[in-house]
């Protein structure tokens, strides 16, 4: 085995041989003269790497802070020699990893036995460099740290917007797919629709992305091995720029979703998107409730019908019992008509809160457009599109952005 571990090789990717644009600070702990000499020569040849020194003893006392020992800020990379005292080196690595998880720790050793490598990785080391370390191996290891730092800086922190209908047919999927497409295309926001219906969700159909192998519940079942490559195999991309993870097609009701899988999945997604729009079933499952607990806003979509409004009251009471903050719950009135039999004032009195958003009623036109398969139809400048564009602008418009792109139409978000 050479100076890189198999893990290090696996993580290599095109472009990782490049050094960072900002300096990385390096420190050694009990490095031998040859390794320290290599590191000094490496720093001289790579001006974007700055050495902080070679510390000559392992310090494992809890009474001495890491910052007091290694200086503040703590180095970006620490190389620890594991040959002089492997037990102390392991203790230092564990303490450094615990106190400064952002610091990359490289184990340096003349021993290459797999069990020793695994032991060092468990103590918090991200690289295992076998002596004698050469410049190319050091360059690759440092470049991987730089790549991870750059990736972290470029990550997002998505808003999770959960949508649930007061009853079936309230128009949830139509609203959130249109909203997602507007955010992606009109406002250039990296957006994802996550369909969490356990049995036959419609988001894929509405976006005309019906050919897929994997679905959202399979992703939940595999969060223990979730990485960028696995995640990408689940993602379908729409021409508007909107991404989709579809629901199962064939009503597979029984799932083996691990505890905490929803939280883990959403945390992973948050770092890759600006908006995540979740299509939830009306009947709450444990997975749906976990989404509601994690979301930034919960939109209950209803229509002005007695049965639907009764369900809104029940849903609000249910979420309140589950300790969901009241200000997170917002009611959206779909197919709104100014002269409806049930007035807005009556609705607000029943649900005991203000209606957050009203989407005008153009139901017949929407159905005609969907059935006709025309992606723009007659709705490119419709009241519905203008209304949803205002909603999308309220949450997705960047400061100083004035020029709007052309509207999509109610399902102009369909693939062409």
């Amino acid at each position: 085995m050479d100076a890189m571990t198999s893990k290090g090789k696996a993580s290599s990717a095109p472009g990782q041989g490049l050094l960072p644009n900002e300096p990385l600070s390096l420190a050694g702990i009990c490095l031998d003269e040859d390794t320290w000499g290599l590191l000094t020569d490496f720093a001289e040849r790579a001006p974007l790497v700055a050495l902080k020194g070679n510390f000559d003893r392992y310090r494992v006392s809890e009474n001495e802070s890491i910052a007091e020992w290694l200086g503040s800020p703590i180095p970006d990379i620490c190389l620890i020699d594991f040959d002089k005292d492997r037990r102390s080196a392991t203790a230092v690595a564990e303490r450094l990893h615990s106190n400064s998880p952002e610091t990359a720790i490289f184990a340096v050793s003349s021993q290459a036995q797999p069990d020793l490598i695994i032991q060092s990785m468990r103590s918090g080391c991200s690289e295992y460099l076998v002596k004698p370390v050469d410049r190319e191996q050091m360059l690759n290891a440092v470049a991987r740290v730089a790549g991870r730092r750059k990736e972290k800086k470029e990550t997002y922190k998505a808003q999770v917007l959960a949508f649930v209908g007061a009853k079936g047919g309230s128009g949830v999927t139509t609203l959130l797919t249109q909203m997602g497409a507007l955010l992606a295309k009109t406002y250039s926001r990296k957006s994802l629709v996550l369909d969490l219906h356990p049995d036959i969700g419609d988001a894929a159909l509405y976006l005309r992305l019906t050919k897929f192998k994997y679905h959202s519940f399979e992703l939940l079942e595999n969060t223990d091995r979730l990485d960028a490559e696995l995640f990408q195999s689940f993602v379908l991309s729409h021409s508007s720029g909107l991404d989709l993870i579809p629901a199962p097609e064939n009503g597979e009701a029984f799932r083996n979703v691990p505890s905490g899988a929803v939280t883990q999945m959403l945390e992973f997604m948050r770092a890759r998107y600006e908006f995540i729009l979740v299509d939830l079933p009306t009947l709450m499952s444990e997975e749906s409730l976990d989404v509601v607990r994690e979301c930034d806003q919960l939109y209950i979509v209803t229509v002005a019908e007695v049965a639907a409004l009764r369900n809104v009251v029940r849903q609000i009471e249910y979420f309140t019992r589950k300790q969901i903050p009241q200000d997170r719950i917002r009611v959206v009135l779909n197919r709104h008509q100014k002269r409806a039999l049930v007035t807005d004032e009556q609705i607000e009195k029943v649900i005991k809160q203000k209606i957050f958003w009203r989407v005008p009623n153009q139901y017949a036109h929407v159905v005609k457009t969907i059935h006709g398969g025309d992606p723009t139809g007659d709705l490119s400048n419709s009241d519905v599109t203008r209304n949803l564009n205002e909603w999308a602008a309220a949450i997705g418009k960047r400061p100083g952005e004035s020029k709007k792109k052309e509207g999509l139409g109610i399902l102009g978000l369909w693939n062409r």
Side-chain angles (χ1 to χ4, degrees):
M1 183 178 291
D2 62 21
M4 284 196 297
T5 65
S6 57
K7 178 181 178 181
K9 291 178 180 177
S11 63
S12 295
Q16 283 189 324
L18 300 176
L19 285 176
N21 294 325
E22 298 178 12
L24 288 171
S25 57
L26 281 74
I29 297 175
C30 297
L31 295 180
D32 61 67
E33 290 185 6
D34 290 342
T35 304
W36 180 248
L38 168 86
L39 200 59
T40 302
D41 180 66
F42 176 78
E44 290 175 352
R45 294 169 180 266
L48 289 174
V49 172
L51 293 185
K52 293 194 71 171
N54 185 21
F55 298 84
D56 59 3
R57 66 185 181 91
Y58 304 105
R59 298 192 185 186
V60 296
S61 172
E62 294 292 338
N63 296 324
E64 185 176 23
S65 74
I66 294 292
E68 288 175 353
W69 175 30
L70 298 178
S72 183
I74 295 171
D76 297 306
I77 302 172
C78 278
L79 288 83
I80 304 176
D81 196 311
F82 272 60
D83 284 347
K84 294 180 179 179
D85 184 344
R86 181 168 288 270
R87 185 174 180 179
S88 294
T90 300
V92 168
E94 290 175 346
R95 185 165 177 239
L96 183 57
H97 181 65
S98 175
N99 286 270
S100 181
E102 300 298 317
T103 297
I105 306 170
F106 296 177
V108 183
S109 176
S110 58
Q111 305 298 314
Q113 292 93 322
D115 60 327
L116 296 179
I117 294 174
I118 292 171
Q119 183 186 56
S120 73
M121 294 299 174
R122 287 175 176 169
S123 70
C125 297
S126 59
E127 302 281 345
Y128 194 95
L129 307 180
V130 179
K131 300 175 184 177
V133 182
D134 65 39
R135 185 178 180 276
E136 183 179 354
Q137 293 160 355
M138 181 68 70
L139 176 64
N140 288 336
V142 171
R144 279 190 289 276
V145 175
R148 287 192 292 269
R149 186 170 77 167
K150 181 179 179 183
E151 182 180 348
K152 184 169 183 179
K153 284 187 175 181
E154 291 177 349
T155 57
Y156 303 102
K157 186 64 175 177
Q159 292 186 49
V160 177
L161 311 178
F163 292 73
V164 63
K167 68 180 188 66
S170 297
V172 173
T173 304
T174 300
L175 293 184
L176 75 86
T177 48
Q178 177 76 346
M179 277 285 293
L182 287 168
L183 287 168
K185 186 171 184 179
T186 305
Y187 297 100
S188 302
R189 293 293 198 174
K190 191 167 176 59
S191 303
L192 170 77
V193 165
L194 173 64
D195 193 337
L196 276 186
H197 283 259
D199 49 356
I200 316 176
D202 290 329
L205 176 65
Y206 281 28
L207 292 168
R208 289 285 176 91
L209 296 171
T210 54
K211 295 181 179 179
F212 55 88
K213 293 182 179 179
Y214 310 114
H215 55 71
S216 55
F217 280 84
E218 288 177 312
L219 182 60
L220 281 170
E221 291 167 351
N222 288 278
T223 51
D224 59 326
R225 60 187 189 93
L226 186 57
D227 58 21
E229 184 177 358
L230 176 66
F231 177 72
Q232 202 57 42
S233 68
F234 284 81
V235 175
L236 306 176
S237 297
H238 185 263
S239 58
S240 65
L242 177 66
D243 284 348
L244 167 72
I245 296 180
E249 282 192 300
N250 299 315
E252 305 165 39
F254 296 100
R255 295 285 170 196
N256 183 27
V257 178
S259 176
V262 168
T263 300
Q264 185 176 348
M265 179 184 68
L266 289 177
E267 189 64 26
F268 185 90
M269 291 176 176
R270 280 184 189 270
R272 286 160 173 76
Y273 290 92
E274 293 175 274
F275 291 95
I276 300 169
L277 297 86
V278 189
D279 194 347
L280 296 175
T282 301
L283 182 61
M284 282 282 115
S285 63
E286 283 300 317
E287 292 77 32
S288 298
L289 188 55
D290 283 344
V291 170
V292 172
R293 291 189 178 107
E294 295 289 331
C295 75
D296 296 281
Q297 298 295 336
L298 171 63
Y299 298 112
I300 300 176
V301 181
T302 187
V303 291
E305 298 175 5
V306 172
L309 296 173
R310 180 186 62 174
N311 288 344
V312 171
V313 173
R314 289 172 171 176
Q315 287 170 316
I316 293 173
E317 290 175 349
Y318 171 77
F319 292 129
T320 301
R321 289 198 305 271
K322 295 297 181 179
Q323 298 183 327
I324 306 302
Q326 185 72 29
D327 61 0
R328 194 185 300 177
I329 303 170
R330 300 183 176 185
V331 176
V332 176
L333 181 59
N334 196 19
R335 302 177 199 141
H336 176 252
Q337 301 179 78
K338 293 182 179 179
R339 297 182 179 179
L341 292 177
V342 183
T343 66
D344 291 4
E345 291 77 13
Q346 290 172 324
I347 292 172
E348 291 179 339
K349 184 177 180 180
V350 168
I351 65 176
K352 298 179 181 179
Q353 67 180 68
K354 293 290 186 181
I355 297 168
F356 170 73
W357 202 269
R358 298 166 177 82
V359 181
N361 183 29
Q362 290 189 313
Y363 181 71
H365 293 283
V366 172
V367 171
K368 179 182 177 181
T369 302
I370 294 173
H371 286 182
D374 184 350
T376 54
D378 299 322
L379 297 175
S380 59
N381 294 305
S382 69
D383 290 341
V384 171
T385 299
R386 284 193 292 270
N387 176 277
L388 293 178
N389 193 54
E390 289 177 11
W391 186 358
I395 62 175
K397 188 175 180 181
R398 290 184 172 89
E401 184 178 24
S402 57
K403 185 178 180 180
K404 294 183 180 179
K405 297 180 183 178
E406 191 174 322
L408 289 176
I410 190 65
L411 285 173
L413 46 90
W414 280 18
N415 267 343
R416 306 215 196 338

